[in-house]
Amino acid sequence: MKFVKRILRILLVLFLLLNVVAAFHAWKFTHFYNAGAFKNKHQRPEQMRAGEKMKMVLFGVRLSKSTLRNQPQAPYETIYLETANGLRLEGWWMPRPNAKGTVILFHGYNGAKDGPISEATYFRQLGYNTLLMDFRAHGNSQGNVCTVGYKEAEDVMLAYNFVQQKGEKHILLWGVSMGAAAIMRAIPTYHLQPDKVMLECSFATLTDAVKSRMRAVHLPGSPLSQLLTFWGGVENGFWGFSHNPAEYAKSIHMPALISWGKHDPRVTRQETKQIYQNMGSANKRLVIYEKSGHQSFCRNEGEKWKNAVKTFLE
């Protein structure tokens, strides 16, 4: 009996320790430090000393808030939108004469609005206005908390409403990774009706997104991914297991272009297949980029991406 009790105590301690580790990782995953807040912020795990690696495993990786490095070549107007909790979001509005419509572009996790400049440039060449947005806690937008697309869906809605208030009747949404997930959540949540959507490299569930982070820091996917999903939601005021782009896809009935890179280390083929199969639209297309990973297809396989986008928009 004493042996059984001892085993149970050990298991309880291990369970509590695992939850503490998961809670730390979830906090680091969803909270960004201001740029320059600490040294060696871009240090890779293989460059770390043994003690630093152990600290990373136990307490997670600190991430600095993304900063802007580039600006569009085309003339643009800096615009500001405000979230329900008072955060100011920044965007670049680039109208053009006799536009066919407007494409709103949304970057990925820990990115910024200068990331999809190449994509925006091509959409302008095809005759569209473009709006590039910084999500909350990214780029020049306010905040330090990122919910990996859950609360960022409000940012999508605010950008959509801004363009709609300009009198635009033909709105298209493009997003990569977290940006794609935020679009898929925003459409059913806020009853948005874009003409078309273009979604690249989206994870299927928040748990899947967390698993990719665990792989990046050389930790087992289960049960840590489930624990991080739980704690990430609890720490940020939502139920993490309900953040499922694959489920949101069922409510998307407009034409959809789904894209995935064959060498993507973060999003699996199965996740992409699940989103595509669940897509509520009868007009949908899946394009797989054979030479790409989790990156800009426009920059890495430009000719193929441009042909796919042009065909889809026509």
Side-chain angles (χ1 to χ4, degrees):
M1 183 62 69
K2 288 183 178 180
F3 177 75
V4 173
K5 287 183 177 179
R6 184 176 298 174
I7 293 297
L8 290 175
R9 288 195 192 99
I10 292 173
L11 290 175
L12 178 60
V13 170
L14 289 174
F15 176 75
L16 292 174
L17 179 61
L18 196 60
N19 272 274
V20 169
V21 170
F24 272 113
H25 273 273
W27 184 268
K28 296 289 179 64
F29 188 39
T30 57
H31 289 72
F32 299 142
Y33 291 79
N34 290 329
F38 51 85
K39 298 178 180 179
N40 299 325
K41 56 181 177 293
H42 299 302
Q43 194 174 22
R44 297 178 180 179
E46 58 268 22
Q47 297 172 326
M48 295 179 180
R49 298 175 182 175
E52 293 173 329
K53 287 184 178 180
M54 181 58 67
K55 187 176 180 180
M56 177 194 72
V57 168
L58 292 176
F59 302 111
V61 179
R62 297 181 299 182
L63 293 173
S64 62
K65 186 174 177 179
S66 57
T67 55
L68 298 167
R69 294 183 174 85
N70 301 294
Q71 292 181 325
Q73 295 297 314
Y76 66 89
E77 173 192 351
T78 301
I79 62 115
Y80 300 98
L81 308 174
E82 187 172 327
T83 67
N85 64 342
L87 295 176
R88 190 182 72 173
L89 309 180
E90 185 178 290
W92 287 331
W93 168 239
M94 291 180 282
R96 53 158 296 155
N98 305 314
K100 299 177 182 178
T102 298
V103 181
I104 312 175
L105 297 94
F106 298 95
H107 61 78
Y109 174 81
N110 204 25
K113 61 179 175 290
D114 61 345
I117 286 178
S118 298
E119 287 81 354
T121 299
Y122 185 64
F123 287 126
R124 285 180 56 79
Q125 290 175 7
L126 293 178
Y128 293 88
N129 303 321
T130 55
L131 174 61
L132 289 156
M133 290 299 305
D134 278 333
F135 280 122
R136 62 187 68 194
H138 293 76
N140 288 343
S141 290
Q142 292 181 335
N144 289 86
V145 178
C146 169
T147 57
V148 203
Y150 188 86
K151 294 183 179 179
E152 288 76 10
E154 181 192 3
D155 306 354
V156 174
M157 177 270 291
L158 291 171
Y160 182 94
N161 288 349
F162 169 83
V163 171
Q164 197 172 52
Q165 288 163 10
K166 290 281 187 181
E168 181 61 77
K169 296 181 179 179
H170 301 290
I171 303 175
L172 301 87
L173 303 178
W174 177 96
V176 60
S177 192
M178 183 184 80
I183 288 172
M184 283 190 276
R185 172 167 160 73
I187 289 174
T189 303
Y190 297 103
H191 310 291
L192 307 185
Q193 293 294 326
D195 283 9
K196 298 181 178 183
V197 295
M198 292 160 279
L199 309 168
E200 303 186 359
C201 309
S202 177
F203 54 87
T205 69
L206 180 57
T207 304
D208 288 321
V210 174
K211 280 182 182 178
S212 74
R213 178 177 173 84
M214 293 298 95
R215 290 194 296 268
V217 296
H218 310 293
L219 289 175
S222 295
L224 278 176
S225 59
Q226 290 79 12
L227 289 173
L228 260 75
T229 300
F230 170 77
W231 283 109
V234 168
E235 291 167 355
N236 294 290
F238 69 99
W239 181 243
F241 296 103
S242 69
H243 186 26
N244 298 330
E247 187 67 25
Y248 307 145
K250 296 177 181 179
S251 300
I252 296 177
H253 302 290
M254 63 285 303
L257 177 63
I258 313 300
S259 300
W260 176 71
K262 185 177 179 179
H263 304 286
D264 194 330
R266 301 182 190 177
V267 176
T268 66
R269 182 187 292 269
Q270 181 57 38
E271 289 177 73
T272 305
K273 183 178 178 181
Q274 186 180 2
I275 289 172
Y276 178 73
Q277 290 178 338
N278 285 359
M279 195 66 60
S281 174
N283 184 355
K284 58 186 178 180
R285 184 185 178 196
L286 172 62
V287 178
I288 296 177
Y289 291 85
E290 301 290 334
K291 301 176 183 178
S292 299
H294 200 81
Q295 62 192 121
S296 168
F297 304 136
C298 175
R299 294 195 297 272
N300 196 55
E301 294 186 60
E303 184 176 352
K304 181 175 181 177
W305 182 85
K306 290 177 180 178
N307 287 336
V309 166
K310 186 177 181 180
T311 301
F312 176 69
L313 295 182
E314 289 175 348

